[in-house]
Amino acid sequence: MIAIFAGALLLATASLEQTSATTSSSDVKTLLIEARRSIEDGRPQDAIARLRSADTSVAEVAQLLGVAYFHADDHQKAIEQLLAVRDRLPDGSTAKREAVQVLGLCYYLTGKFADAIPLLEETRTWADHNVELSHILGLAYIQTRQPDRARASLARTFRVAPDSAAAHVIAAQMMLRLEMEQQAQAELERALVKDARVPRANYLLGQIALFRGRLDDAIALSERELAISPSDAMAFYQLGDAYLRASRIDEAAIALQRSLWINPYYSGPYLLLGKVYLKKNQPATAEGMLRRAIEHDPNNRAAHYTLAQLLQQTGRVDEAKREFAIAERLQPPGAR
């Protein structure tokens, strides 16, 4: 998660000289310069050690310590540190702007979205054109169920009009990533009212339908997307997935093959084609597809597991054991 915000943090990061300019002691100036250099070099723990041994009654020292905690992924300590020092920093100073921004990011990363929003909005008053900030704010608005504000913020990120069909689709995409399906569906339906041929809206509605097991709807919506964007490899993949789940094997094979003709580098269609050919009782072809899936994505657990089952069924026990072992290693820790 922290990598998402690395670019945004640079909004407020002062130069070494700016950060230390308000202090009078040359020793403190040197400390701040060295500590910030440690942070920028990816050694926040070194910065923390230096700053904690110094006089944290100096506001800039206390502020930079909070920033160092943030970079060390100790968000709760960063919050405590920055809350304590924020009001001691001069209004409008770079140090205060950085404190406000980092505090907002820490609140976001600890799931305190309502607390994060006013701080990120304050940051936006002087960094309105920064796309990372607009993105983060958009996600925070989604988490607090403010779809109109989310859409407006994300529209700034992607340079589309906030009341456009495209803005609704972008907001819906982010909502789906945050597992906010009902919000996403509402945005997609509004997008199609504004523009019945806006790309990706039908595809994403089909994705929702497929997740909910509404296979006929998933097929119809995927086909509708392909009528708008006939070279959309992911729409063909989704259509093939829906056909396969509906046991329409021949139609699944055609859709998945079309997906691969457009984009031969994605492992998903190879995996599903492996399953298709297993159902067709063509184990050699199925094996070839599964191995291609693994070639393109060695960490595809489902491909390793399905290949292991095929190898087991064809009597290749040792190979099957190796694939089962790989699949087990790739299983998420919480699912074991």
Side-chain angles (χ1 to χ4, degrees):
M1 177 69 78
I2 191 66
I4 296 174
F5 304 109
L9 183 58
L10 296 178
L11 286 168
T13 301
S15 70
L16 302 178
E17 291 78 10
Q18 286 176 314
T19 301
S20 60
T22 59
T23 62
S24 58
S25 166
S26 61
D27 289 342
V28 172
K29 287 183 180 181
T30 300
L31 168 70
L32 291 170
I33 290 171
E34 292 176 351
R36 190 171 287 280
R37 184 173 291 122
S38 293
I39 293 170
E40 292 175 351
D41 289 346
R43 297 179 288 109
Q45 293 294 348
D46 291 349
I48 290 169
R50 286 175 176 271
L51 293 164
R52 287 183 63 182
S53 65
D55 182 3
T56 55
S57 67
V58 177
E60 287 82 357
V61 173
Q63 181 264 357
L64 192 55
L65 179 57
V67 173
Y69 280 131
F70 170 79
H71 280 275
D73 294 337
D74 194 338
H75 303 127
Q76 190 54 48
K77 279 190 178 179
I79 289 171
E80 294 168 3
Q81 187 70 28
L82 293 170
L83 277 178
V85 74
R86 179 178 54 170
D87 293 338
R88 294 166 49 201
L89 297 164
D91 290 339
S93 67
T94 304
K96 184 156 189 176
R97 286 180 172 182
E98 184 177 40
V100 168
Q101 184 194 26
V102 173
L103 186 56
L105 293 176
C106 286
Y107 276 137
Y108 185 93
L109 289 167
T110 54
K112 299 173 182 176
F113 307 114
D115 292 327
I117 285 172
L119 297 166
L120 296 174
E121 287 177 335
E122 182 178 340
T123 300
R124 190 172 60 188
T125 62
W126 58 268
D128 187 46
H129 298 292
N130 185 276
V131 292
E132 291 95 340
L133 177 62
S134 296
H135 176 231
I136 296 164
L137 255 176
L139 298 181
Y141 287 135
I142 291 172
Q143 296 280 15
T144 54
R145 288 173 170 76
Q146 300 182 67
D148 292 340
R149 286 187 172 184
R151 185 176 63 258
S153 190
L154 292 167
R156 280 192 292 272
T157 304
F158 292 94
R159 298 180 66 183
V160 298
D163 59 348
S164 66
H168 287 285
V169 174
I170 290 168
Q173 180 75 73
M174 300 301 168
M175 290 168 180
L176 285 173
R177 289 181 183 174
L178 295 173
E179 300 182 355
M180 302 283 191
E181 283 187 23
Q182 290 184 336
Q183 286 191 56
Q185 183 165 339
E187 290 294 316
L188 293 167
E189 289 170 353
R190 291 176 70 184
L192 289 169
V193 168
K194 292 184 176 181
D195 180 359
R197 293 185 61 81
V198 62
R200 307 303 283 173
N202 287 295
Y203 169 79
L204 293 173
L205 283 170
Q207 188 178 98
I208 294 171
L210 188 61
F211 179 77
R212 294 176 177 171
R214 301 196 327 262
L215 300 180
D216 289 343
D217 289 343
I219 289 168
L221 288 161
S222 299
E223 289 178 335
R224 201 173 299 164
E225 183 66 38
L226 286 164
I228 298 166
S229 304
S231 62
D232 189 329
M234 289 304 295
F236 275 120
Y237 169 62
Q238 181 168 277
L239 180 60
D241 192 0
Y243 277 140
L244 180 57
R245 297 188 196 198
S247 297
R248 295 166 63 173
I249 305 303
D250 291 335
E251 291 164 293
I254 292 170
L256 293 166
Q257 187 60 69
R258 286 172 174 164
S259 178
L260 288 175
W261 282 332
I262 296 168
N263 178 13
Y265 306 109
Y266 177 47
S267 67
Y270 292 109
L271 168 60
L272 295 188
L273 276 170
K275 293 181 178 182
V276 164
Y277 287 114
L278 279 173
K279 289 181 178 292
K280 285 175 170 286
N281 197 28
Q282 298 179 32
T285 307
E287 181 179 347
M289 289 295 168
L290 294 170
R291 292 196 183 278
R292 289 292 297 279
I294 292 168
E295 177 186 338
H296 288 289
D297 181 8
N299 293 320
N300 189 324
R301 178 184 178 276
H304 284 287
Y305 188 81
T306 305
L307 178 59
Q309 290 179 312
L310 183 155
L311 293 168
Q312 188 176 56
Q313 291 166 10
T314 55
R316 294 150 70 183
V317 178
D318 291 339
E319 291 180 76
K321 286 180 179 179
R322 284 196 295 272
E323 292 298 326
F324 277 127
I326 294 170
E328 177 66 21
R329 287 199 302 272
L330 293 172
Q331 188 169 341
R336 292 176 182 173

